[in-house]
Amino acid sequence: MSDSLSKKDDSIGAINRVKILAAAEKEFAIHGFKGTRVQHIADRAELPKTNILYYFKSKDGLYLALLQEILSLWNSSFDNAKAQDDPAQVLAAYIADKMEISRCRPDASKIFALEIINGAPNLSSFFKDQHSTWMNSRVAVIQQWIELGKLPEIDPYYLLFNIWASSQHYADFSAQITELKGHEMDQNEFANATKSLIKLILQGCGLTVPKQYQ
Amino acid sequence: MSDSLSKKDDSIGAINRVKILAAAEKEFAIHGFKGTRVQHIADRAELPKTNILYYFKSKDGLYLALLQEILSLWNSSFDNAKAQDDPAQVLAAYIADKMEISRCRPDASKIFALEIINGAPNLSSFFKDQHSTWMNSRVAVIQQWIELGKLPEIDPYYLLFNIWASSQHYADFSAQITELKGHEMDQNEFANATKSLIKLILQGCGLTVPKQYQ
DNA sequence: CAAAAACCAGACCAATTGGTCAGGTTTTTG
DNA sequence: CAAAAACCTGACCAATTGGTCTGGTTTTTG
């Protein structure tokens, strides 16, 4: 309890909460909220069902707790970008960040995607406001880059949508990708996909790809 | 019955089937398969629940019928592209096609997305094989373009993934887009988004945007 | 026009499943 | 070390919901 930013807690409750959240992330990603059975989460976490309800008041409560944890992943270096920064560097790093999340936390990405597709019924208006505010400030920075001549004319919204869409695709649509490629993408392929994506988007914006991303 | 390519049938059954499929598309897109209630589909279609089960044997049967209809939307002009065609023309048209589907059939796109995110549990292996075959042939054409010097070096997989991801994003994530833009995208904005996307991707590939898409 | 086919719908049911409860045991704490 | 807090869990329940059944009515067809 105490604090959401609490230091590592090795109490039995804290350990179980982590196990449950991990199990829930997998189940919700595969079956969606309605399709997920509390019993299956319990099985995966190797705990009796009643324990799940003990730690999280309800299925809803568990889902909400998980969603909140997932939303915290959305922070990145791009949050603090300024007009004086180099757009090529900032955007390349942002794309790389996003791809890394897709690689390491595909289930988190899927749950977020499911939530949005279903009309974001569980995203608090607090989050939405926060997100809109974030968006406005990032759009402003991109527009400043354009005014400063650091970036050719482009609609900032469509640029950001493109970055999100194409990076999250590797998590959300992994089943399709695996099917078409004939195998799951490994770390090496992710690195190639990231390079490819950075090149496509930066070049698409008329920017030069920084050396370290080539 | 008779033939899936049957001519317009105005029998009472045919009309009801269309009404039911339309209602189901909306419900499944919002609530997912498990979250959708047959009763809600019935309410939306303005028919008693038992009629839904009468026309489609079961909820599963209805979903599968709907999914099949949705998959038929995936066909496009790109299917017949040849090495001798102009990549800029072909890809621009393909992107425009995809964006048009996102605009006109967002619910269809969402249902497909939900299906893939959940691991494609209902996509027949027939569809998967067909899809893989399609992919191989399209990858081959793109590689020929590269060999012919009509297209700079690029991994065809990542190119296609990018096109799908960024175009489908406008349907699947419409809730987020509406929230961030402050309003739903209208036809005019879709046209701008399409131009923006075509420019980004073609330029990203090192191609020149054909005049009619500028 | 009669019979077959298609269509309609209220009543009902069995299975699933999120959640409660009561009575524990273990761990922490003052 | 005792009491409080945290943790654990089998038994149970109420509500939901996909689907059936039966007895119709309407439409089509030979």
Side-chain angles (χ1 to χ4, degrees):
Chain A
M1 299 283 153
S2 61
D3 190 5
S4 62
L5 293 173
S6 61
K7 53 205 127 184
K8 192 170 104 190
D9 186 347
D10 60 352
S11 72
I12 185 160
I15 290 170
N16 280 344
R17 264 175 250 268
V18 169
K19 280 206 290 188
I20 293 168
L21 284 169
E25 186 169 312
K26 282 205 152 62
E27 290 295 323
F28 283 130
I30 300 171
H31 300 106
F33 178 75
K34 271 285 189 176
T36 292
R37 302 292 153 238
V38 175
Q39 183 63 61
H40 291 171
I41 295 174
D43 293 346
R44 193 183 281 273
E46 297 183 292
L47 288 169
K49 188 182 80 166
T50 16
N51 270 29
I52 311 294
L53 279 315
Y54 170 72
Y55 284 108
F56 300 87
K57 292 296 179 197
S58 63
K59 185 184 177 182
D60 266 271
L62 170 55
Y63 180 74
L64 256 27
L66 178 60
L67 196 57
Q68 193 162 354
E69 200 219 280
I70 288 172
L71 293 179
S72 72
L73 289 175
W74 267 223
N75 300 319
S76 87
S77 58
F78 182 49
D79 302 354
N80 305 309
K82 302 266 187 295
Q84 55 264 37
D85 293 330
D86 174 26
Q89 285 287 347
V90 169
L91 293 177
Y94 187 43
I95 295 166
D97 274 4
K98 287 271 157 200
M99 286 295 282
E100 193 64 5
I101 291 174
S102 281
R103 188 178 69 82
C104 301
R105 296 292 296 275
D107 292 323
S109 183
K110 285 177 182 177
I111 288 168
F112 182 75
L114 292 172
E115 186 64 24
I116 301 289
I117 291 174
N118 293 336
N122 293 295
L123 292 181
S124 64
S125 53
F126 171 72
F127 171 75
K128 289 177 187 170
D129 287 350
Q130 190 181 284
H131 199 198
S132 285
T133 304
W134 179 92
M135 187 71 172
N136 290 337
S137 78
R138 297 308 88 196
V139 166
V141 169
I142 294 173
Q143 269 162 345
Q144 287 178 295
W145 282 337
I146 293 170
E147 283 158 24
L148 290 169
K150 293 171 128 180
L151 178 67
E153 185 78 27
I154 188 171
D155 185 310
Y157 283 91
Y158 302 138
L159 172 57
L160 289 177
F161 293 161
N162 195 279
I163 291 174
W164 298 342
S166 46
S167 58
Q168 288 169 202
H169 185 82
Y170 288 91
D172 303 343
F173 284 68
S174 60
Q176 189 182 37
I177 291 173
T178 299
E179 189 69 31
L180 292 177
K181 283 204 151 211
H183 61 268
E184 259 188 67
M185 279 176 71
D186 61 21
Q187 191 162 359
N188 185 49
E189 271 177 303
F190 255 97
N192 288 332
T194 302
K195 277 186 197 166
S196 206
L197 185 54
I198 289 174
K199 186 178 172 193
L200 192 73
I201 293 180
L202 293 207
Q203 200 169 292
C205 293
L207 294 171
T208 304
V209 179
K211 285 203 186 74
Q212 74 264 42
Y213 294 106
Q214 281 175 354
Chain B
M1 299 281 152
S2 61
D3 190 7
S4 62
L5 294 172
S6 61
K7 55 205 125 184
K8 191 169 105 190
D9 186 346
D10 59 354
S11 72
I12 185 160
I15 290 170
N16 279 343
R17 264 175 249 270
V18 169
K19 279 207 289 188
I20 293 168
L21 284 170
E25 186 169 312
K26 282 204 154 58
E27 290 295 322
F28 283 131
I30 300 172
H31 301 107
F33 177 75
K34 272 284 188 175
T36 292
R37 302 291 155 238
V38 175
Q39 184 63 60
H40 291 171
I41 296 174
D43 293 346
R44 192 184 281 274
E46 296 182 294
L47 288 170
K49 188 183 80 166
T50 22
N51 271 31
I52 310 295
L53 279 315
Y54 169 71
Y55 283 108
F56 300 87
K57 292 297 179 197
S58 62
K59 184 183 177 184
D60 266 271
L62 170 54
Y63 180 75
L64 255 27
L66 177 61
L67 196 58
Q68 194 163 353
E69 200 219 280
I70 288 172
L71 293 179
S72 71
L73 289 175
W74 266 223
N75 299 321
S76 88
S77 59
F78 182 49
D79 301 356
N80 305 309
K82 302 268 187 293
Q84 55 264 38
D85 294 330
D86 174 27
Q89 284 287 347
V90 169
L91 293 177
Y94 187 42
I95 294 167
D97 275 3
K98 286 271 157 198
M99 285 296 282
E100 194 62 5
I101 292 174
S102 282
R103 188 177 69 83
C104 301
R105 296 292 296 275
D107 292 324
S109 182
K110 284 177 183 177
I111 289 168
F112 182 75
L114 291 172
E115 186 65 23
I116 302 290
I117 291 175
N118 294 336
N122 293 294
L123 292 180
S124 65
S125 54
F126 171 72
F127 171 76
K128 289 177 186 171
D129 288 349
Q130 191 181 282
H131 198 199
S132 285
T133 304
W134 180 92
M135 186 71 172
N136 289 337
S137 78
R138 297 308 88 195
V139 166
V141 169
I142 294 173
Q143 268 162 346
Q144 286 176 296
W145 282 337
I146 293 169
E147 282 158 24
L148 291 169
K150 295 171 128 181
L151 178 68
E153 184 79 25
I154 188 171
D155 186 310
Y157 284 91
Y158 302 138
L159 172 57
L160 289 176
F161 293 161
N162 196 280
I163 290 173
W164 299 341
S166 44
S167 57
Q168 289 169 203
H169 185 82
Y170 287 90
D172 303 343
F173 284 68
S174 61
Q176 188 182 37
I177 291 173
T178 298
E179 188 69 30
L180 293 176
K181 284 204 152 212
H183 61 268
E184 260 188 64
M185 279 177 70
D186 60 21
Q187 191 162 359
N188 186 49
E189 271 177 303
F190 255 98
N192 288 334
T194 302
K195 277 186 198 167
S196 205
L197 185 54
I198 289 175
K199 185 179 173 193
L200 191 74
I201 294 179
L202 293 209
Q203 200 168 294
C205 291
L207 294 171
T208 304
V209 179
K211 285 203 187 71
Q212 73 264 42
Y213 294 106
Q214 281 176 352

